């Protein structure tokens, strides 16, 4: 905790003075470029990955970057999505998973969640992705391969859930909104992007996705995004 407090002091003393005009401009409102839905994991730093500034990203974080379908739960994710789309009129929504995700590992091995009923309940929203990934994986696939397949299937499943929210569905239909699936590879420092037309994943900026290993469950939920 001491390090966090020291950080706040450094921000006040060393960082804020140079950014005073930026925060002054932001003090009366925001117009973010995107809604960024990602995992609570401490290693996924949305602004760092996208090199964004304060005011750029409206961020919604939870264990497993999950978007419960509309109607199931009038919870914080639904409120963040509705506010971002209706009030802030963001033009883009990004659902960003990541490698080595603890939530996805737990979804793969729910037997370890007996002492964490809230986590277990929340991860029911990853059940469809778990089934899809399991269908795509041979039984003999090792945990690393299954985790990667589930991580990808989960982002694709959450994009499908996202479309069930009326504000999203209406804005997509009107052409005011785009949705994107990303996965941040922590070790490689790379972002994989879902190509919605072919339902394959490829590193950002790579025109051809042919190099993506099809065994990694890249073509799981066609039609997402
Ligand atoms: Zn995670």
């Amino acid at each position: 905790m001491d390090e966090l407090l020291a950080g706040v002091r450094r921000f006040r003393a060393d960082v804020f003075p140079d950014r005073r005009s930026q925060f002054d401009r932001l003090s009366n409102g925001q117009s973010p470029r995107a809604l960024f839905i990602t995992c609570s994991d401490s290693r996924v730093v949305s602004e760092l990955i996208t090199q964004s500034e304060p005011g750029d990203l409206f961020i919604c974080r939870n264990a497993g970057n999950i978007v419960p379908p509309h109607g199931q739960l009038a919870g914080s994710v639904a409120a963040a999505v509705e506010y971002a789309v209706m009030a802030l009129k963001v033009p883009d929504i990004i659902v960003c998973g990541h490698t080595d995700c603890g939530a996805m590992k737990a979804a793969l091995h729910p037997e370890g969640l007996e002492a964490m009923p809230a986590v277990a309940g929340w991860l029911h929203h990853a059940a469809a992705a778990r089934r899809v990934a399991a269908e795509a994986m041979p039984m003999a696939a090792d945990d690393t391969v299954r985790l990667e397949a589930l991580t990808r299937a989960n982002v694709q499943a959450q994009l499908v859930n996202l479309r069930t929210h009326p504000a999203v569905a209406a804005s997509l239909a009107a052409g005011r909104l785009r949705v994107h699936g990303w996965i941040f590879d922590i070790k490689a420092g790379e972002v994989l992007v879902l190509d919605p037309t072919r339902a394959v994943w490829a590193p950002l900026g790579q025109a051809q996705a042919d190099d993506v290993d099809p065994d990694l469950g890249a073509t799981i939920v066609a039609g997402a995004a």
Side-chain angles (χ1 to χ4, degrees):
M1 189 64 198
D2 288 348
E3 288 177 9
L4 298 183
L5 295 174
V8 173
R9 291 190 198 98
R10 275 203 310 281
F11 170 75
R12 282 286 302 151
D14 302 336
V15 178
F16 186 76
D18 290 339
R19 289 174 170 259
R20 188 177 294 276
S21 62
Q22 180 185 30
F23 280 97
D24 187 59
R25 195 171 63 250
L26 289 168
S27 64
N28 290 317
Q30 61 170 331
S31 183
R33 299 174 194 274
L35 165 60
F36 201 89
I37 301 171
T38 192
C39 187
S40 300
D41 194 290
S42 60
R43 300 163 295 178
V44 182
V45 183
S46 313
E47 288 86 350
L48 187 64
I49 297 167
T50 60
Q51 289 293 285
S52 295
E53 290 288 321
D56 284 346
L57 296 178
F58 192 73
I59 299 177
C60 177
R61 304 185 73 144
N62 61 62
N65 37 273
I66 279 166
V67 182
H70 174 69
Q72 282 199 6
L73 187 69
S76 64
V77 179
V81 167
E82 193 173 85
Y83 187 78
V85 173
M86 300 297 292
L88 299 175
K89 303 189 187 313
V90 295
D92 293 279
I93 301 177
I94 297 147
V95 177
C96 183
H98 67 98
T99 55
D100 196 50
C101 181
M104 292 301 101
K105 289 179 181 175
L108 268 185
H109 297 288
E111 66 277 6
L113 292 175
E114 283 161 9
M116 292 183 274
V119 176
W122 180 245
L123 290 178
H124 281 148
H125 295 299
R130 194 167 64 238
R131 292 287 292 273
V132 168
E135 287 287 333
M137 286 294 101
M139 286 301 288
D142 70 21
D143 249 21
T144 306
V145 174
R146 293 170 66 213
L147 179 62
E148 184 160 3
L150 175 58
T151 301
R152 294 178 178 196
N154 181 57
V155 170
Q156 291 170 274
Q158 305 314 325
L159 287 170
V160 172
N161 288 350
L162 191 57
R163 289 171 173 273
T164 66
H165 290 256
V168 172
S171 294
L172 284 170
R176 293 191 298 268
L177 181 67
R178 293 171 300 183
V179 296
H180 313 269
W182 288 9
I183 290 172
F184 176 56
D185 184 326
I186 294 170
K187 191 176 176 69
E190 188 168 66
V191 171
L192 292 178
V193 176
L194 177 65
D195 174 346
T197 57
R198 298 196 294 161
V200 296
W201 292 86
L204 183 65
Q206 184 175 312
Q208 299 297 324
D210 296 329
D211 293 337
V212 175
D213 183 352
D215 291 332
L216 294 178
T219 57
I220 292 176
V221 182

